[in-house]
Amino acid sequence: MNTLQSAVRRRRAVAAAGVVSAGLLVLSACDKPTPMATVTVGHDSVNSEATCGGEGDALKSSDLTQCLKDKGVKTISVDPDETVRFGVDPEIADKGWTILMNGQPLTDSSTKTYRTIPGSVFFNAQYGAQGNSTLVSIKQGEKDTSGLWNFKLEKDA
């Protein structure tokens, strides 16, 4: 009986080691998530991983153009009288980041992790707004763009 029990235990140990090894292999194959960007208006907020890039490598101009056309972006309602708050993970801030409105720079590059802009700006034709919604992007990188996080701001009220 002892030899039978020890053989069963050995098989279980080998099987357990195989499962652990397979699990580690699967985990190592997973993509590391990109840093997060967050837009907050009042008590509501939306956050997202990079729409394009975000892994540190420079993006091509053609990739950026395509990325700005992405339709599957997170949306948040903005009362023009509210303040819109932008927050980024330190990995984004360390490389500098700029807020774009409909693909055009709205702010200078910053290395802070937090910025605020009056909500009315996003619906003002003087700043390039058109209609009741605006594509707002966070662009990582001062010279070469290495990531883009897109959000849609919809006018509320």
Side-chain angles (χ1 to χ4, degrees):
M1 232 11 168
N2 267 345
T3 57
L4 182 58
Q5 287 177 342
S6 72
V8 169
R9 283 185 186 150
R10 237 179 288 132
R11 274 189 243 149
R12 286 183 185 160
V14 168
V19 169
V20 169
S21 296
L24 290 174
L25 185 62
V26 169
L27 285 176
S28 67
C30 292
D31 290 334
K32 179 182 169 196
T34 61
M36 299 290 281
T38 304
V39 178
T40 304
V41 181
H43 296 290
D44 297 326
S45 64
V46 292
N47 57 29
S48 179
E49 288 187 35
T51 307
C52 295
E55 286 104 20
D57 298 329
L59 295 170
K60 298 175 189 167
S61 295
S62 59
D63 293 339
L64 287 175
T65 303
Q66 191 61 36
C67 190
L68 287 169
K69 295 177 183 176
D70 187 3
K71 302 292 183 206
V73 298
K74 303 253 179 128
T75 302
I76 189 166
S77 294
V78 177
D79 182 327
D81 294 333
E82 291 270 0
T83 298
V84 180
R85 294 169 184 81
F86 295 87
V88 298
D89 283 350
E91 298 97 304
I92 298 171
D94 289 346
K95 294 183 179 175
W97 61 289
T98 305
I99 298 172
L100 307 177
M101 187 167 129
N102 295 321
Q104 300 302 312
L106 181 65
T107 64
D108 292 331
S109 183
S110 174
T111 55
K112 296 179 180 180
T113 58
Y114 182 80
R115 301 193 74 171
T116 61
I117 297 179
S120 60
V121 167
F122 299 103
F123 307 104
N124 188 327
Q126 178 180 344
Y127 296 103
Q130 302 169 351
N132 290 327
S133 69
T134 301
L135 176 67
V136 176
S137 305
I138 292 173
K139 176 183 86 86
Q140 180 184 32
E142 292 187 24
K143 292 183 181 180
D144 292 329
T145 302
S146 56
L148 208 60
W149 289 255
N150 292 335
F151 299 92
K152 182 177 178 183
L153 277 55
E154 289 187 339
K155 189 175 186 179
D156 180 27

